[in-house]
Amino acid sequence: MRPNVPPKVVPPRPEDITWEEVRKETKNIVFPGLSVKVQPKGKTLVNMATIVYTDDSKVSTTTVTLLGFPVVVEATPISYTWDFGDGSPTVTTSTPGKPYPSADITHKYRKRQGVGITVTTNYAARFNVADTGWQYIEGTVPITGPATLLQVREAVPVLVDPGR
């Protein structure tokens, strides 16, 4: 007769932690969704260059605990993909743009409408479990921020001195 031997418990190791587990824990902390800023604010005109930009996002670092190990996660913005909300192709830039007078990133709307503009920040990510070395994530992590509403109006010429 064999005595009942409990199964051997294998403690977790730092290398057991996967990117998927790290991502679940850090989604809203490390990878902020940036909002679009527009000039002129709230309203623009058809065929007028409308300036868009977002906050200059820096490298974000946070530490979480997974399987009892500290995990340092770092996210670096690499590029920004702009969706102007009018069905035009998206535009990807390497910078977050700047306000007037810079006009780094502009868009001209072709018709009157209400639109929601979004920016997707594409982050390069890496993580380090219990100081075992950085593990780099293949590709980027895209995070889309909230929509910024904009009214596109049309200017109509008006005769102001009809007596001449």
Side-chain angles (χ1 to χ4, degrees), residues 17-57:
I17 296 176
T18 66
W19 169 243
E20 289 74 25
E21 292 169 321
V22 172
R23 181 78 171 109
K24 286 178 191 173
E25 288 295 317
T26 62
K27 184 176 183 177
N28 297 320
I29 300 170
V30 176
F31 305 107
L34 303 177
S35 61
V36 177
K37 295 178 176 23
V38 181
Q39 289 179 323
K41 186 177 181 179
K43 295 179 187 171
T44 192
L45 293 174
V46 169
N47 295 320
M48 179 178 146
T50 303
I51 299 170
V52 297
Y53 62 101
T54 190
D55 296 321
D56 189 9
S57 181

PDB file of all heavy atoms in Angstrom, residues 17-57:
ATOM      1  N   ILE A  17       5.351  34.737 -15.945  1.00  0.00           N
ATOM      2  CA  ILE A  17       4.451  35.873 -16.186  1.00  0.00           C
ATOM      3  C   ILE A  17       4.493  36.237 -17.659  1.00  0.00           C
ATOM      4  O   ILE A  17       5.560  36.440 -18.242  1.00  0.00           O
ATOM      5  CB  ILE A  17       4.837  37.061 -15.294  1.00  0.00           C
ATOM      6  CG1 ILE A  17       4.628  36.665 -13.829  1.00  0.00           C
ATOM      7  CG2 ILE A  17       4.034  38.301 -15.662  1.00  0.00           C
ATOM      8  CD1 ILE A  17       5.052  37.690 -12.824  1.00  0.00           C
ATOM      9  N   THR A  18       3.304  36.318 -18.270  1.00  0.00           N
ATOM     10  CA  THR A  18       3.183  36.617 -19.696  1.00  0.00           C
ATOM     11  C   THR A  18       2.736  38.065 -19.910  1.00  0.00           C
ATOM     12  O   THR A  18       2.200  38.709 -19.000  1.00  0.00           O
ATOM     13  CB  THR A  18       2.152  35.704 -20.371  1.00  0.00           C
ATOM     14  OG1 THR A  18       0.854  36.005 -19.829  1.00  0.00           O
ATOM     15  CG2 THR A  18       2.481  34.231 -20.161  1.00  0.00           C
ATOM     16  N   TRP A  19       2.931  38.547 -21.137  1.00  0.00           N
ATOM     17  CA  TRP A  19       2.497  39.897 -21.482  1.00  0.00           C
ATOM     18  C   TRP A  19       0.985  40.042 -21.319  1.00  0.00           C
ATOM     19  O   TRP A  19       0.489  41.067 -20.875  1.00  0.00           O
ATOM     20  CB  TRP A  19       2.917  40.244 -22.903  1.00  0.00           C
ATOM     21  CG  TRP A  19       2.279  41.500 -23.394  1.00  0.00           C
ATOM     22  CD1 TRP A  19       1.424  41.629 -24.441  1.00  0.00           C
ATOM     23  CD2 TRP A  19       2.407  42.819 -22.837  1.00  0.00           C
ATOM     24  NE1 TRP A  19       1.018  42.936 -24.564  1.00  0.00           N
ATOM     25  CE2 TRP A  19       1.617  43.688 -23.589  1.00  0.00           C
ATOM     26  CE3 TRP A  19       3.118  43.335 -21.758  1.00  0.00           C
ATOM     27  CZ2 TRP A  19       1.504  45.043 -23.320  1.00  0.00           C
ATOM     28  CZ3 TRP A  19       3.011  44.695 -21.486  1.00  0.00           C
ATOM     29  CH2 TRP A  19       2.217  45.534 -22.262  1.00  0.00           C
ATOM     30  N   GLU A  20       0.233  39.024 -21.646  1.00  0.00           N
ATOM     31  CA  GLU A  20      -1.227  39.087 -21.534  1.00  0.00           C
ATOM     32  C   GLU A  20      -1.642  39.355 -20.084  1.00  0.00           C
ATOM     33  O   GLU A  20      -2.559  40.136 -19.824  1.00  0.00           O
ATOM     34  CB  GLU A  20      -1.878  37.802 -22.053  1.00  0.00           C
ATOM     35  CG  GLU A  20      -1.807  37.639 -23.566  1.00  0.00           C
ATOM     36  CD  GLU A  20      -0.414  37.268 -24.064  1.00  0.00           C
ATOM     37  OE1 GLU A  20       0.388  36.695 -23.300  1.00  0.00           O
ATOM     38  OE2 GLU A  20      -0.114  37.591 -25.233  1.00  0.00           O
ATOM     39  N   GLU A  21      -0.987  38.704 -19.137  1.00  0.00           N
ATOM     40  CA  GLU A  21      -1.298  38.935 -17.718  1.00  0.00           C
ATOM     41  C   GLU A  21      -0.922  40.354 -17.301  1.00  0.00           C
ATOM     42  O   GLU A  21      -1.667  41.020 -16.589  1.00  0.00           O
ATOM     43  CB  GLU A  21      -0.552  37.920 -16.844  1.00  0.00           C
ATOM     44  CG  GLU A  21      -1.039  36.498 -17.014  1.00  0.00           C
ATOM     45  CD  GLU A  21      -0.117  35.487 -16.354  1.00  0.00           C
ATOM     46  OE1 GLU A  21       1.102  35.650 -16.409  1.00  0.00           O
ATOM     47  OE2 GLU A  21      -0.668  34.535 -15.778  1.00  0.00           O
ATOM     48  N   VAL A  22       0.233  40.807 -17.754  1.00  0.00           N
ATOM     49  CA  VAL A  22       0.670  42.167 -17.437  1.00  0.00           C
ATOM     50  C   VAL A  22      -0.309  43.175 -18.031  1.00  0.00           C
ATOM     51  O   VAL A  22      -0.728  44.128 -17.379  1.00  0.00           O
ATOM     52  CB  VAL A  22       2.103  42.423 -17.973  1.00  0.00           C
ATOM     53  CG1 VAL A  22       2.492  43.876 -17.819  1.00  0.00           C
ATOM     54  CG2 VAL A  22       3.096  41.514 -17.278  1.00  0.00           C
ATOM     55  N   ARG A  23      -0.716  42.961 -19.263  1.00  0.00           N
ATOM     56  CA  ARG A  23      -1.623  43.887 -19.972  1.00  0.00           C
ATOM     57  C   ARG A  23      -2.957  44.016 -19.239  1.00  0.00           C
ATOM     58  O   ARG A  23      -3.501  45.113 -19.130  1.00  0.00           O
ATOM     59  CB  ARG A  23      -1.838  43.379 -21.396  1.00  0.00           C
ATOM     60  CG  ARG A  23      -2.722  44.246 -22.230  1.00  0.00           C
ATOM     61  CD  ARG A  23      -1.941  45.459 -22.716  1.00  0.00           C
ATOM     62  NE  ARG A  23      -2.747  46.149 -23.689  1.00  0.00           N
ATOM     63  CZ  ARG A  23      -3.322  47.313 -23.472  1.00  0.00           C
ATOM     64  NH1 ARG A  23      -3.152  47.935 -22.338  1.00  0.00           N
ATOM     65  NH2 ARG A  23      -4.059  47.873 -24.396  1.00  0.00           N
ATOM     66  N   LYS A  24      -3.487  42.930 -18.737  1.00  0.00           N
ATOM     67  CA  LYS A  24      -4.757  42.973 -18.005  1.00  0.00           C
ATOM     68  C   LYS A  24      -4.648  43.860 -16.769  1.00  0.00           C
ATOM     69  O   LYS A  24      -5.581  44.556 -16.410  1.00  0.00           O
ATOM     70  CB  LYS A  24      -5.196  41.564 -17.585  1.00  0.00           C
ATOM     71  CG  LYS A  24      -5.723  40.732 -18.718  1.00  0.00           C
ATOM     72  CD  LYS A  24      -6.075  39.337 -18.221  1.00  0.00           C
ATOM     73  CE  LYS A  24      -6.359  38.413 -19.366  1.00  0.00           C
ATOM     74  NZ  LYS A  24      -6.538  37.027 -18.933  1.00  0.00           N
ATOM     75  N   GLU A  25      -3.499  43.809 -16.106  1.00  0.00           N
ATOM     76  CA  GLU A  25      -3.302  44.572 -14.874  1.00  0.00           C
ATOM     77  C   GLU A  25      -2.992  46.043 -15.113  1.00  0.00           C
ATOM     78  O   GLU A  25      -3.177  46.863 -14.239  1.00  0.00           O
ATOM     79  CB  GLU A  25      -2.159  43.956 -14.054  1.00  0.00           C
ATOM     80  CG  GLU A  25      -2.516  42.658 -13.412  1.00  0.00           C
ATOM     81  CD  GLU A  25      -3.613  42.801 -12.370  1.00  0.00           C
ATOM     82  OE1 GLU A  25      -3.564  43.752 -11.580  1.00  0.00           O
ATOM     83  OE2 GLU A  25      -4.518  41.956 -12.354  1.00  0.00           O
ATOM     84  N   THR A  26      -2.489  46.391 -16.285  1.00  0.00           N
ATOM     85  CA  THR A  26      -1.971  47.747 -16.493  1.00  0.00           C
ATOM     86  C   THR A  26      -2.711  48.555 -17.543  1.00  0.00           C
ATOM     87  O   THR A  26      -2.356  49.703 -17.782  1.00  0.00           O
ATOM     88  CB  THR A  26      -0.493  47.675 -16.917  1.00  0.00           C
ATOM     89  OG1 THR A  26      -0.406  46.969 -18.154  1.00  0.00           O
ATOM     90  CG2 THR A  26       0.362  47.037 -15.858  1.00  0.00           C
ATOM     91  N   LYS A  27      -3.727  48.005 -18.147  1.00  0.00           N
ATOM     92  CA  LYS A  27      -4.376  48.653 -19.294  1.00  0.00           C
ATOM     93  C   LYS A  27      -4.711  50.118 -19.055  1.00  0.00           C
ATOM     94  O   LYS A  27      -4.397  50.975 -19.867  1.00  0.00           O
ATOM     95  CB  LYS A  27      -5.644  47.885 -19.670  1.00  0.00           C
ATOM     96  CG  LYS A  27      -6.326  48.435 -20.892  1.00  0.00           C
ATOM     97  CD  LYS A  27      -7.506  47.592 -21.284  1.00  0.00           C
ATOM     98  CE  LYS A  27      -8.117  48.121 -22.556  1.00  0.00           C
ATOM     99  NZ  LYS A  27      -9.200  47.307 -23.010  1.00  0.00           N
ATOM    100  N   ASN A  28      -5.347  50.442 -17.960  1.00  0.00           N
ATOM    101  CA  ASN A  28      -5.798  51.812 -17.736  1.00  0.00           C
ATOM    102  C   ASN A  28      -4.785  52.661 -16.983  1.00  0.00           C
ATOM    103  O   ASN A  28      -4.966  53.861 -16.864  1.00  0.00           O
ATOM    104  CB  ASN A  28      -7.122  51.798 -16.976  1.00  0.00           C
ATOM    105  CG  ASN A  28      -8.206  51.131 -17.784  1.00  0.00           C
ATOM    106  OD1 ASN A  28      -8.297  51.325 -18.984  1.00  0.00           O
ATOM    107  ND2 ASN A  28      -9.001  50.306 -17.140  1.00  0.00           N
ATOM    108  N   ILE A  29      -3.744  52.059 -16.474  1.00  0.00           N
ATOM    109  CA  ILE A  29      -2.774  52.815 -15.695  1.00  0.00           C
ATOM    110  C   ILE A  29      -1.649  53.333 -16.578  1.00  0.00           C
ATOM    111  O   ILE A  29      -1.328  54.497 -16.597  1.00  0.00           O
ATOM    112  CB  ILE A  29      -2.175  51.935 -14.573  1.00  0.00           C
ATOM    113  CG1 ILE A  29      -3.283  51.461 -13.642  1.00  0.00           C
ATOM    114  CG2 ILE A  29      -1.111  52.686 -13.806  1.00  0.00           C
ATOM    115  CD1 ILE A  29      -2.844  50.407 -12.663  1.00  0.00           C
ATOM    116  N   VAL A  30      -1.050  52.468 -17.350  1.00  0.00           N
ATOM    117  CA  VAL A  30       0.149  52.825 -18.089  1.00  0.00           C
ATOM    118  C   VAL A  30      -0.139  53.440 -19.447  1.00  0.00           C
ATOM    119  O   VAL A  30       0.581  54.282 -19.921  1.00  0.00           O
ATOM    120  CB  VAL A  30       1.040  51.580 -18.267  1.00  0.00           C
ATOM    121  CG1 VAL A  30       2.246  51.900 -19.106  1.00  0.00           C
ATOM    122  CG2 VAL A  30       1.489  51.081 -16.924  1.00  0.00           C
ATOM    123  N   PHE A  31      -1.197  53.012 -20.071  1.00  0.00           N
ATOM    124  CA  PHE A  31      -1.465  53.425 -21.435  1.00  0.00           C
ATOM    125  C   PHE A  31      -2.633  54.409 -21.478  1.00  0.00           C
ATOM    126  O   PHE A  31      -3.760  54.020 -21.727  1.00  0.00           O
ATOM    127  CB  PHE A  31      -1.783  52.206 -22.297  1.00  0.00           C
ATOM    128  CG  PHE A  31      -0.713  51.148 -22.242  1.00  0.00           C
ATOM    129  CD1 PHE A  31      -0.919  49.972 -21.563  1.00  0.00           C
ATOM    130  CD2 PHE A  31       0.490  51.345 -22.869  1.00  0.00           C
ATOM    131  CE1 PHE A  31       0.067  48.999 -21.506  1.00  0.00           C
ATOM    132  CE2 PHE A  31       1.474  50.375 -22.832  1.00  0.00           C
ATOM    133  CZ  PHE A  31       1.268  49.202 -22.148  1.00  0.00           C
ATOM    134  N   PRO A  32      -2.367  55.679 -21.246  1.00  0.00           N
ATOM    135  CA  PRO A  32      -3.478  56.643 -21.235  1.00  0.00           C
ATOM    136  C   PRO A  32      -4.034  56.880 -22.637  1.00  0.00           C
ATOM    137  O   PRO A  32      -3.284  56.931 -23.610  1.00  0.00           O
ATOM    138  CB  PRO A  32      -2.840  57.911 -20.668  1.00  0.00           C
ATOM    139  CG  PRO A  32      -1.385  57.766 -20.940  1.00  0.00           C
ATOM    140  CD  PRO A  32      -1.087  56.295 -20.943  1.00  0.00           C
ATOM    141  N   GLY A  33      -5.347  57.021 -22.719  1.00  0.00           N
ATOM    142  CA  GLY A  33      -6.003  57.412 -23.960  1.00  0.00           C
ATOM    143  C   GLY A  33      -6.049  58.927 -24.003  1.00  0.00           C
ATOM    144  O   GLY A  33      -6.690  59.544 -23.159  1.00  0.00           O
ATOM    145  N   LEU A  34      -5.352  59.519 -24.941  1.00  0.00           N
ATOM    146  CA  LEU A  34      -5.252  60.974 -25.003  1.00  0.00           C
ATOM    147  C   LEU A  34      -6.438  61.564 -25.765  1.00  0.00           C
ATOM    148  O   LEU A  34      -6.972  60.951 -26.689  1.00  0.00           O
ATOM    149  CB  LEU A  34      -3.944  61.370 -25.681  1.00  0.00           C
ATOM    150  CG  LEU A  34      -2.672  60.822 -25.023  1.00  0.00           C
ATOM    151  CD1 LEU A  34      -1.440  61.222 -25.833  1.00  0.00           C
ATOM    152  CD2 LEU A  34      -2.558  61.307 -23.594  1.00  0.00           C
ATOM    153  N   SER A  35      -6.833  62.775 -25.385  1.00  0.00           N
ATOM    154  CA  SER A  35      -7.931  63.438 -26.080  1.00  0.00           C
ATOM    155  C   SER A  35      -7.389  64.468 -27.066  1.00  0.00           C
ATOM    156  O   SER A  35      -6.279  64.976 -26.908  1.00  0.00           O
ATOM    157  CB  SER A  35      -8.885  64.098 -25.085  1.00  0.00           C
ATOM    158  OG  SER A  35      -8.201  65.080 -24.346  1.00  0.00           O
ATOM    159  N   VAL A  36      -8.185  64.749 -28.077  1.00  0.00           N
ATOM    160  CA  VAL A  36      -7.810  65.690 -29.131  1.00  0.00           C
ATOM    161  C   VAL A  36      -8.176  67.105 -28.703  1.00  0.00           C
ATOM    162  O   VAL A  36      -9.273  67.339 -28.202  1.00  0.00           O
ATOM    163  CB  VAL A  36      -8.536  65.348 -30.454  1.00  0.00           C
ATOM    164  CG1 VAL A  36      -8.208  66.362 -31.540  1.00  0.00           C
ATOM    165  CG2 VAL A  36      -8.199  63.939 -30.903  1.00  0.00           C
ATOM    166  N   LYS A  37      -7.278  68.022 -28.940  1.00  0.00           N
ATOM    167  CA  LYS A  37      -7.542  69.448 -28.748  1.00  0.00           C
ATOM    168  C   LYS A  37      -7.648  70.058 -30.143  1.00  0.00           C
ATOM    169  O   LYS A  37      -6.902  69.671 -31.046  1.00  0.00           O
ATOM    170  CB  LYS A  37      -6.439  70.093 -27.931  1.00  0.00           C
ATOM    171  CG  LYS A  37      -6.384  69.543 -26.515  1.00  0.00           C
ATOM    172  CD  LYS A  37      -5.254  70.175 -25.757  1.00  0.00           C
ATOM    173  CE  LYS A  37      -5.110  69.817 -24.356  1.00  0.00           C
ATOM    174  NZ  LYS A  37      -5.443  68.854 -23.610  1.00  0.00           N
ATOM    175  N   VAL A  38      -8.603  70.983 -30.328  1.00  0.00           N
ATOM    176  CA  VAL A  38      -8.887  71.535 -31.648  1.00  0.00           C
ATOM    177  C   VAL A  38      -8.824  73.058 -31.587  1.00  0.00           C
ATOM    178  O   VAL A  38      -9.283  73.666 -30.631  1.00  0.00           O
ATOM    179  CB  VAL A  38     -10.296  71.100 -32.126  1.00  0.00           C
ATOM    180  CG1 VAL A  38     -10.606  71.650 -33.502  1.00  0.00           C
ATOM    181  CG2 VAL A  38     -10.429  69.590 -32.120  1.00  0.00           C
ATOM    182  N   GLN A  39      -8.282  73.653 -32.637  1.00  0.00           N
ATOM    183  CA  GLN A  39      -8.309  75.112 -32.794  1.00  0.00           C
ATOM    184  C   GLN A  39      -8.807  75.418 -34.183  1.00  0.00           C
ATOM    185  O   GLN A  39      -8.213  74.909 -35.154  1.00  0.00           O
ATOM    186  CB  GLN A  39      -6.912  75.709 -32.579  1.00  0.00           C
ATOM    187  CG  GLN A  39      -6.475  75.661 -31.147  1.00  0.00           C
ATOM    188  CD  GLN A  39      -5.074  76.226 -30.972  1.00  0.00           C
ATOM    189  OE1 GLN A  39      -4.208  76.046 -31.820  1.00  0.00           O
ATOM    190  NE2 GLN A  39      -4.846  76.889 -29.859  1.00  0.00           N
ATOM    191  N   PRO A  40      -9.854  76.203 -34.340  1.00  0.00           N
ATOM    192  CA  PRO A  40     -10.621  76.847 -33.274  1.00  0.00           C
ATOM    193  C   PRO A  40     -11.438  75.824 -32.484  1.00  0.00           C
ATOM    194  O   PRO A  40     -11.842  74.795 -33.014  1.00  0.00           O
ATOM    195  CB  PRO A  40     -11.531  77.818 -34.013  1.00  0.00           C
ATOM    196  CG  PRO A  40     -11.570  77.346 -35.431  1.00  0.00           C
ATOM    197  CD  PRO A  40     -10.329  76.569 -35.673  1.00  0.00           C
ATOM    198  N   LYS A  41     -11.650  76.125 -31.227  1.00  0.00           N
ATOM    199  CA  LYS A  41     -12.305  75.196 -30.301  1.00  0.00           C
ATOM    200  C   LYS A  41     -13.799  75.075 -30.583  1.00  0.00           C
ATOM    201  O   LYS A  41     -14.497  76.077 -30.655  1.00  0.00           O
ATOM    202  CB  LYS A  41     -12.095  75.672 -28.864  1.00  0.00           C
ATOM    203  CG  LYS A  41     -12.604  74.713 -27.826  1.00  0.00           C
ATOM    204  CD  LYS A  41     -12.314  75.203 -26.436  1.00  0.00           C
ATOM    205  CE  LYS A  41     -12.811  74.198 -25.405  1.00  0.00           C
ATOM    206  NZ  LYS A  41     -12.514  74.635 -24.048  1.00  0.00           N
ATOM    207  N   GLY A  42     -14.266  73.839 -30.747  1.00  0.00           N
ATOM    208  CA  GLY A  42     -15.696  73.559 -30.839  1.00  0.00           C
ATOM    209  C   GLY A  42     -16.342  73.767 -32.194  1.00  0.00           C
ATOM    210  O   GLY A  42     -17.294  73.097 -32.532  1.00  0.00           O
ATOM    211  N   LYS A  43     -15.838  74.733 -32.983  1.00  0.00           N
ATOM    212  CA  LYS A  43     -16.432  75.035 -34.301  1.00  0.00           C
ATOM    213  C   LYS A  43     -15.328  75.374 -35.289  1.00  0.00           C
ATOM    214  O   LYS A  43     -14.315  75.956 -34.918  1.00  0.00           O
ATOM    215  CB  LYS A  43     -17.376  76.238 -34.210  1.00  0.00           C
ATOM    216  CG  LYS A  43     -18.587  76.011 -33.366  1.00  0.00           C
ATOM    217  CD  LYS A  43     -19.432  77.267 -33.314  1.00  0.00           C
ATOM    218  CE  LYS A  43     -20.562  77.071 -32.314  1.00  0.00           C
ATOM    219  NZ  LYS A  43     -21.279  78.318 -32.066  1.00  0.00           N
ATOM    220  N   THR A  44     -15.551  75.000 -36.530  1.00  0.00           N
ATOM    221  CA  THR A  44     -14.621  75.362 -37.599  1.00  0.00           C
ATOM    222  C   THR A  44     -15.425  75.602 -38.864  1.00  0.00           C
ATOM    223  O   THR A  44     -16.641  75.417 -38.876  1.00  0.00           O
ATOM    224  CB  THR A  44     -13.543  74.277 -37.799  1.00  0.00           C
ATOM    225  OG1 THR A  44     -12.511  74.805 -38.639  1.00  0.00           O
ATOM    226  CG2 THR A  44     -14.116  73.003 -38.393  1.00  0.00           C
ATOM    227  N   LEU A  45     -14.751  76.009 -39.929  1.00  0.00           N
ATOM    228  CA  LEU A  45     -15.409  76.286 -41.199  1.00  0.00           C
ATOM    229  C   LEU A  45     -14.973  75.286 -42.261  1.00  0.00           C
ATOM    230  O   LEU A  45     -13.840  74.797 -42.248  1.00  0.00           O
ATOM    231  CB  LEU A  45     -15.069  77.702 -41.676  1.00  0.00           C
ATOM    232  CG  LEU A  45     -15.610  78.844 -40.833  1.00  0.00           C
ATOM    233  CD1 LEU A  45     -15.061  80.178 -41.334  1.00  0.00           C
ATOM    234  CD2 LEU A  45     -17.132  78.846 -40.840  1.00  0.00           C
ATOM    235  N   VAL A  46     -15.872  75.037 -43.203  1.00  0.00           N
ATOM    236  CA  VAL A  46     -15.571  74.209 -44.358  1.00  0.00           C
ATOM    237  C   VAL A  46     -14.371  74.829 -45.077  1.00  0.00           C
ATOM    238  O   VAL A  46     -14.277  76.055 -45.212  1.00  0.00           O
ATOM    239  CB  VAL A  46     -16.799  74.129 -45.295  1.00  0.00           C
ATOM    240  CG1 VAL A  46     -16.439  73.500 -46.630  1.00  0.00           C
ATOM    241  CG2 VAL A  46     -17.930  73.367 -44.624  1.00  0.00           C
ATOM    242  N   ASN A  47     -13.448  73.996 -45.518  1.00  0.00           N
ATOM    243  CA  ASN A  47     -12.241  74.376 -46.267  1.00  0.00           C
ATOM    244  C   ASN A  47     -11.252  75.236 -45.491  1.00  0.00           C
ATOM    245  O   ASN A  47     -10.347  75.826 -46.071  1.00  0.00           O
ATOM    246  CB  ASN A  47     -12.592  75.061 -47.590  1.00  0.00           C
ATOM    247  CG  ASN A  47     -13.295  74.115 -48.535  1.00  0.00           C
ATOM    248  OD1 ASN A  47     -12.930  72.943 -48.628  1.00  0.00           O
ATOM    249  ND2 ASN A  47     -14.309  74.605 -49.223  1.00  0.00           N
ATOM    250  N   MET A  48     -11.397  75.310 -44.185  1.00  0.00           N
ATOM    251  CA  MET A  48     -10.446  76.042 -43.347  1.00  0.00           C
ATOM    252  C   MET A  48      -9.529  75.024 -42.672  1.00  0.00           C
ATOM    253  O   MET A  48      -9.987  73.988 -42.196  1.00  0.00           O
ATOM    254  CB  MET A  48     -11.187  76.841 -42.277  1.00  0.00           C
ATOM    255  CG  MET A  48     -10.289  77.609 -41.363  1.00  0.00           C
ATOM    256  SD  MET A  48     -11.318  78.544 -40.187  1.00  0.00           S
ATOM    257  CE  MET A  48     -10.277  78.467 -38.759  1.00  0.00           C
ATOM    258  N   ALA A  49      -8.233  75.328 -42.620  1.00  0.00           N
ATOM    259  CA  ALA A  49      -7.288  74.423 -41.955  1.00  0.00           C
ATOM    260  C   ALA A  49      -7.567  74.434 -40.453  1.00  0.00           C
ATOM    261  O   ALA A  49      -7.403  75.442 -39.787  1.00  0.00           O
ATOM    262  CB  ALA A  49      -5.858  74.852 -42.233  1.00  0.00           C
ATOM    263  N   THR A  50      -8.027  73.313 -39.945  1.00  0.00           N
ATOM    264  CA  THR A  50      -8.338  73.161 -38.526  1.00  0.00           C
ATOM    265  C   THR A  50      -7.147  72.480 -37.861  1.00  0.00           C
ATOM    266  O   THR A  50      -6.710  71.420 -38.300  1.00  0.00           O
ATOM    267  CB  THR A  50      -9.615  72.319 -38.356  1.00  0.00           C
ATOM    268  OG1 THR A  50     -10.676  72.950 -39.079  1.00  0.00           O
ATOM    269  CG2 THR A  50      -9.993  72.176 -36.903  1.00  0.00           C
ATOM    270  N   ILE A  51      -6.619  73.103 -36.815  1.00  0.00           N
ATOM    271  CA  ILE A  51      -5.446  72.577 -36.117  1.00  0.00           C
ATOM    272  C   ILE A  51      -5.890  71.548 -35.087  1.00  0.00           C
ATOM    273  O   ILE A  51      -6.823  71.787 -34.322  1.00  0.00           O
ATOM    274  CB  ILE A  51      -4.679  73.709 -35.410  1.00  0.00           C
ATOM    275  CG1 ILE A  51      -4.190  74.738 -36.430  1.00  0.00           C
ATOM    276  CG2 ILE A  51      -3.515  73.158 -34.590  1.00  0.00           C
ATOM    277  CD1 ILE A  51      -3.643  76.011 -35.808  1.00  0.00           C
ATOM    278  N   VAL A  52      -5.217  70.399 -35.058  1.00  0.00           N
ATOM    279  CA  VAL A  52      -5.460  69.377 -34.032  1.00  0.00           C
ATOM    280  C   VAL A  52      -4.137  69.033 -33.368  1.00  0.00           C
ATOM    281  O   VAL A  52      -3.084  69.078 -33.992  1.00  0.00           O
ATOM    282  CB  VAL A  52      -6.125  68.104 -34.604  1.00  0.00           C
ATOM    283  CG1 VAL A  52      -7.496  68.397 -35.177  1.00  0.00           C
ATOM    284  CG2 VAL A  52      -5.248  67.444 -35.642  1.00  0.00           C
ATOM    285  N   TYR A  53      -4.218  68.704 -32.086  1.00  0.00           N
ATOM    286  CA  TYR A  53      -3.044  68.274 -31.335  1.00  0.00           C
ATOM    287  C   TYR A  53      -3.519  67.578 -30.077  1.00  0.00           C
ATOM    288  O   TYR A  53      -4.711  67.570 -29.768  1.00  0.00           O
ATOM    289  CB  TYR A  53      -2.119  69.456 -31.004  1.00  0.00           C
ATOM    290  CG  TYR A  53      -2.726  70.517 -30.133  1.00  0.00           C
ATOM    291  CD1 TYR A  53      -2.441  70.565 -28.765  1.00  0.00           C
ATOM    292  CD2 TYR A  53      -3.587  71.477 -30.647  1.00  0.00           C
ATOM    293  CE1 TYR A  53      -3.005  71.545 -27.946  1.00  0.00           C
ATOM    294  CE2 TYR A  53      -4.147  72.457 -29.843  1.00  0.00           C
ATOM    295  CZ  TYR A  53      -3.847  72.489 -28.501  1.00  0.00           C
ATOM    296  OH  TYR A  53      -4.406  73.445 -27.692  1.00  0.00           O
ATOM    297  N   THR A  54      -2.593  66.975 -29.364  1.00  0.00           N
ATOM    298  CA  THR A  54      -2.922  66.335 -28.105  1.00  0.00           C
ATOM    299  C   THR A  54      -1.805  66.619 -27.111  1.00  0.00           C
ATOM    300  O   THR A  54      -0.797  67.234 -27.469  1.00  0.00           O
ATOM    301  CB  THR A  54      -3.156  64.815 -28.278  1.00  0.00           C
ATOM    302  OG1 THR A  54      -3.698  64.283 -27.077  1.00  0.00           O
ATOM    303  CG2 THR A  54      -1.888  64.082 -28.649  1.00  0.00           C
ATOM    304  N   ASP A  55      -1.991  66.164 -25.881  1.00  0.00           N
ATOM    305  CA  ASP A  55      -0.960  66.379 -24.870  1.00  0.00           C
ATOM    306  C   ASP A  55       0.325  65.676 -25.283  1.00  0.00           C
ATOM    307  O   ASP A  55       0.287  64.597 -25.872  1.00  0.00           O
ATOM    308  CB  ASP A  55      -1.419  65.829 -23.517  1.00  0.00           C
ATOM    309  CG  ASP A  55      -2.631  66.577 -22.986  1.00  0.00           C
ATOM    310  OD1 ASP A  55      -2.678  67.803 -23.145  1.00  0.00           O
ATOM    311  OD2 ASP A  55      -3.530  65.917 -22.428  1.00  0.00           O
ATOM    312  N   ASP A  56       1.441  66.304 -24.963  1.00  0.00           N
ATOM    313  CA  ASP A  56       2.731  65.687 -25.229  1.00  0.00           C
ATOM    314  C   ASP A  56       2.936  64.588 -24.202  1.00  0.00           C
ATOM    315  O   ASP A  56       3.332  64.845 -23.072  1.00  0.00           O
ATOM    316  CB  ASP A  56       3.844  66.730 -25.148  1.00  0.00           C
ATOM    317  CG  ASP A  56       5.173  66.184 -25.626  1.00  0.00           C
ATOM    318  OD1 ASP A  56       5.197  65.067 -26.171  1.00  0.00           O
ATOM    319  OD2 ASP A  56       6.186  66.886 -25.459  1.00  0.00           O
ATOM    320  N   SER A  57       2.613  63.373 -24.591  1.00  0.00           N
ATOM    321  CA  SER A  57       2.672  62.246 -23.669  1.00  0.00           C
ATOM    322  C   SER A  57       4.109  61.774 -23.508  1.00  0.00           C
ATOM    323  O   SER A  57       4.821  61.561 -24.482  1.00  0.00           O
ATOM    324  CB  SER A  57       1.795  61.109 -24.200  1.00  0.00           C
ATOM    325  OG  SER A  57       1.817  60.036 -23.327  1.00  0.00           O
TER     326      SER A  57
END
